[in-house]
Amino acid sequence: MPITQLELARRLRSARKACHITQTKAAKALGVSRSAVSQMETGQRGVSGLELHRLAQLYQRDVGDFLEDRFEKTSPLTAMFRAHPELRGSPEAMQSLRRCGELHRELVNLHEVLGLHRRLSTIPEYSPATPGSKWDAVQQGHAAADRERRRLDMGIAPLPDVTDLLGAQGVSTALVDMDDDISGLTLIGSDGNILVAANRAHHILRRRFSFAHEYAHILLDRTRTAILSRSVDRSSVMEVRANAYAAAFLMPAEGVRSYVDALSKGLPSRPRADTFDGKEATRVEGRLIARTQDLELHDVVRMAHHFGVSCAAMLYRLKGLRFLTEDERSVLAAQDGAGVAKALRAFLGLPEPDSSGGRERVRSRFLALAIEAYVRGRITSRKLDELGCLVELGDLSQSLEEAGIGKELAHVAEECGGH
């Protein structure tokens, strides 16, 4: 139902205080007096659409946050901007992150109108002590990955599509254009709804790593409502731990060892670990013990294909498991960078990773919820089209009508008593 002017005033005041913004600063952003802002927040003065839009931008909120039936004093997106105030200087970053916030808000609304309730208890929360060092962070990440693989009864096999895996855990996923420095983000609502987004501009294999990385944040950093993963922060213990988790989750140690053993290659003997965030690595070293090895790039290419990761990620994992020295990894990485790995994939008949369906896969659950809400009569065709635009599908209601989907589903729902 429409909110009252007094309720809108309360929400504006609450959102401003949550951002620690003074009435004077808000007034300056609007080009009005401080007393005018005060009157807006007491319901003595109306708020125009333009003023509401400007205030929403200032408070790092979506306009819809102020107009929906439910309102949270602080949103995950607000927490993210508070933790990373430097992002306010990048209009592109602000826009992409706001889109993530809007997707999360609409997912929460869809779950609410459909009577679907998220239960975070179905997703384990591994809460080890704060790592005392980067080495501790690596060990915690590896241990959590091993536990999660055992919980999911996955053994040492390669993972299926990570977005499907997240979806099975009740986590919604999205692909969003972001600054190249940002690999992904996680938004955790107080009601249990979680959205994980990866950078759509990145290669599909890097996105796969990013989704696994964000999965680590869900398991290990649940108390945080908003987490932004950036290359500039790769050396922080939280990011080191998440990168270690992603590597061990995608490329389990025993699985890698089994593969190398099948190749009759050399035995590992180098205690070193590096965490890789999809682009670059943070080095974490233990004692160094000399050894020999005979892994070649064609071996790495086949292993990377087997585990569904990039050659770069596979090389760092092999180094972390002591199958390669840094010099050996560097030589093979240079060959990969020169295009040799790509040529080997073609020669070995290994297909290039296909990203054509990735976009559709991550938005399918969102669309399924939107269509179900529309068929049940919980949202209008106009709202359905708005949701379609969020995932870059305009006139969704018309497309459904032309395909006969909406009418057919509505007919079935009516015959089944609306269930």
Side-chain angles (χ1 to χ4, degrees):
M1 63 177 63
I3 64 170
T4 65
Q5 185 168 317
L6 282 176
E7 174 60 17
L8 176 59
R10 183 191 71 80
R11 294 181 179 188
L12 289 172
R13 182 171 63 255
S14 178
R16 177 181 60 76
K17 289 184 176 181
C19 293
H20 303 286
I21 291 176
T22 64
Q23 288 185 339
T24 300
K25 182 175 181 179
K28 184 176 181 180
L30 292 178
V32 300
S33 64
R34 189 198 66 79
S35 61
V37 172
S38 177
Q39 290 172 348
M40 291 179 188
E41 294 184 355
T42 56
Q44 299 176 18
R45 178 187 183 282
V47 184
S48 70
L50 181 59
E51 288 173 333
L52 185 61
H53 176 73
R54 287 177 177 172
L55 288 174
Q57 288 185 319
L58 182 63
Y59 302 154
Q60 294 93 53
R61 305 292 287 253
D62 185 84
V63 172
D65 289 348
F66 297 105
L67 304 176
E68 299 289 344
D69 291 340
R70 59 196 306 280
F71 177 77
E72 294 185 10
K73 181 178 179 180
T74 59
S75 69
L77 198 62
T78 301
M80 181 173 293
F81 283 127
R82 189 184 306 161
H84 301 280
E86 69 279 4
L87 294 174
R88 298 171 189 170
S90 171
E92 295 79 9
M94 293 282 284
Q95 182 178 0
S96 62
L97 296 179
R98 282 202 181 97
R99 183 165 178 268
C100 290
E102 188 175 359
L103 278 168
H104 184 256
R105 180 175 63 84
E106 293 296 356
L107 280 166
V108 171
N109 291 338
L110 286 171
H111 282 122
E112 187 170 291
V113 300
L114 291 172
L116 303 175
H117 302 290
R118 283 278 163 257
R119 292 178 175 83
L120 281 179
S121 58
T122 62
I123 307 176
E125 183 176 2
Y126 306 138
S127 301
T130 301
S133 66
K134 293 176 184 177
W135 185 260
D136 290 340
V138 169
Q139 302 311 305
Q140 289 182 6
H142 289 171
D146 290 341
R147 289 179 62 185
E148 188 64 0
R149 271 187 162 268
R150 287 196 300 271
R151 184 183 77 87
L152 298 172
D153 194 25
M154 305 198 72
I156 62 173
L159 289 182
D161 185 278
V162 182
T163 58
D164 286 346
L165 184 61
L166 286 167
Q169 307 303 306
V171 177
S172 299
T173 55
L175 291 178
V176 179
D177 289 319
M178 307 180 196
D179 287 356
D180 187 63
D181 180 58
I182 301 174
S183 60
L185 61 85
T186 297
L187 300 178
I188 304 176
S190 59
D191 51 8
N193 283 282
I194 303 176
L195 173 70
V196 167
N199 194 331
R200 182 167 56 189
H202 289 170
H203 189 277
I204 184 173
L205 293 181
R206 185 175 179 192
R207 297 200 307 254
R208 178 174 161 87
F209 193 97
S210 297
F211 278 124
H213 175 105
E214 299 306 319
Y215 194 4
H217 287 314
I218 295 172
L219 298 171
L220 296 165
D221 305 300
R222 185 77 57 79
T223 57
R224 301 186 59 163
T225 59
I227 302 167
L228 189 66
S229 300
R230 304 188 302 169
S231 298
V232 70
D233 298 321
R234 67 166 59 93
S235 294
S236 70
V237 291
M238 189 172 75
E239 290 298 283
V240 165
R241 185 168 65 182
N243 283 327
Y245 172 94
F249 196 52
L250 291 169
M251 300 165 280
E254 288 307 311
V256 175
R257 291 190 182 102
S258 177
Y259 199 108
V260 174
D261 287 345
L263 296 173
S264 299
K265 299 292 183 177
L267 296 175
S269 60
R270 186 178 180 85
R272 173 186 288 177
D274 289 277
T275 60
F276 182 64
D277 68 353
K279 186 176 182 180
E280 294 186 36
T282 296
R283 176 176 297 183
V284 181
E285 297 181 335
R287 290 183 307 163
L288 303 180
I289 302 174
R291 61 164 208 86
T292 60
Q293 67 82 38
D294 55 358
L295 283 174
E296 302 293 342
L297 188 60
H298 64 86
D299 299 316
V300 179
V301 167
R302 287 191 291 156
M303 294 176 72
H305 174 74
H306 177 74
F307 290 105
V309 298
S310 67
C311 274
M314 194 71 247
L315 286 168
Y316 275 111
R317 185 62 169 146
L318 287 167
K319 190 181 91 166
L321 291 173
R322 299 167 293 176
F323 286 104
L324 296 174
T325 66
E326 170 55 24
D327 288 342
E328 293 160 352
R329 186 209 66 81
S330 181
V331 169
L332 295 176
Q335 294 175 9
D336 178 25
V340 178
K342 183 176 182 179
L344 282 170
R345 277 193 297 270
F347 182 79
L348 294 170
L350 302 177
E352 287 289 330
D354 181 16
S355 61
S356 60
R359 184 171 171 184
E360 285 69 25
R361 292 175 73 84
V362 298
R363 72 183 180 186
S364 61
R365 176 170 174 77
F366 180 82
L367 288 175
L369 292 173
I371 292 172
E372 184 173 355
Y374 175 62
V375 170
R376 288 193 194 181
R378 303 298 176 84
I379 62 174
T380 65
S381 58
R382 180 178 178 181
K383 183 63 177 180
L384 180 65
D385 289 338
E386 289 179 5
L387 297 177
C389 287
L390 267 180
V391 289
E392 300 178 6
L393 284 177
D395 298 326
L396 188 56
S397 61
Q398 182 178 346
S399 299
L400 288 177
E401 184 177 349
E402 291 174 352
I405 296 176
K407 293 179 180 179
E408 183 65 25
L409 288 178
H411 177 67
V412 172
E414 183 178 353
E415 288 185 345
C416 296
H419 299 291

